[in-house]
Amino acid sequence: YRHAGFGSGGAAGEETPGRGRIGALAAVGAPATLDDRSYERITYRERDRCGTPREVDAESVFAAADREYPTVWDTVDRGTGAVVCVPNAPGPILHGIRGDDADACRRVATDIDSEPVERAATFLTNQGTDAHLADGRIDALRDGAGYRVSGVVAGDPETKRGGHVHVDIAEDRPAENGEREGS
């Protein structure tokens, strides 16, 4: 098949070309193999607006998100007050509404006050399902892979480019007195 990779992700100043292809491929096969799935309503901008700042009313995004939460998620960051469903890249997407119910995603997208919408589509996805994570042990993890591990938070969280939160964890094991402790 033909494919293209674009730089994104990675540490500050570092690009990892082609990120997202595995997730996209997994989403295509998800309906056949997974019971857990989610939806995303993608709303597209008029083509002549691409490359210009998006016009999206943040108050309407928060109001719509609040009406459908927790069925619709990852639309706003209530801690920072940021609208996270609106991309920063200059591409054609106006906003993407993620959730566990396709109709709820459509309602939120419709209730957002914004610039004119060219078109919209709802996609079946594996976002928020953790289907891409493998069970792992802290002492056997490899760089660049995604894991589900048990551990103890061993440091303050750090938010990196793209809103990805990183946190150090330590192995969770019993102490000599029977309680749990990190190492």
Side-chain angles (χ1 to χ4, degrees):
Y1 64 92
R2 290 181 183 255
H3 65 279
F6 301 93
S8 67
E14 171 187 313
E15 295 226 350
T16 307
R19 287 184 66 116
R21 282 185 274 182
I22 299 303
L25 188 58
V28 170
T33 60
L34 300 173
D35 293 329
D36 195 9
R37 56 187 61 128
S38 60
Y39 300 89
E40 184 167 13
R41 179 69 170 185
I42 302 285
T43 303
Y44 295 91
R45 311 176 76 191
E46 294 177 332
R47 292 194 184 270
D48 61 343
R49 290 181 173 263
C50 290
T52 65
R54 288 169 178 78
E55 296 175 24
V56 177
D57 179 65
E59 286 184 27
S60 71
V61 176
F62 272 88
D66 286 345
R67 281 192 293 277
E68 297 291 345
Y69 183 80
T71 303
V72 171
W73 35 265
D74 207 19
T75 305
V76 297
D77 183 331
R78 288 167 181 85
T80 65
V83 173
V84 297
C85 65
V86 177
N88 293 317
I93 294 175
L94 182 58
H95 48 69
I97 308 301
R98 298 173 179 174
D100 298 320
D101 179 80
D103 291 332
C105 292
R106 284 195 236 354
R107 284 191 298 272
V108 169
T110 300
D111 289 347
I112 295 173
D113 295 329
S114 69
E115 65 188 57
V117 171
E118 182 198 47
R119 61 189 158 82
T122 302
F123 297 92
L124 181 65
T125 77
N126 65 349
Q127 296 175 35
T129 67
D130 291 342
H132 64 294
L133 300 178
D135 290 331
R137 291 186 343 260
I138 291 174
D139 62 347
L141 304 181
R142 290 182 331 198
D143 238 3
Y147 296 98
R148 183 179 303 107
V149 297
S150 293
V152 176
V153 174
D156 292 333
E158 179 183 355
T159 302
K160 301 212 177 189
R161 191 176 74 182
H164 300 281
V165 178
H166 294 235
V167 64
D168 290 331
I169 62 169
E171 186 177 352
D172 183 23
R173 63 177 189 226
E176 292 181 22
N177 61 5
E179 295 180 16
R180 307 298 286 178
E181 73 174 28
S183 66

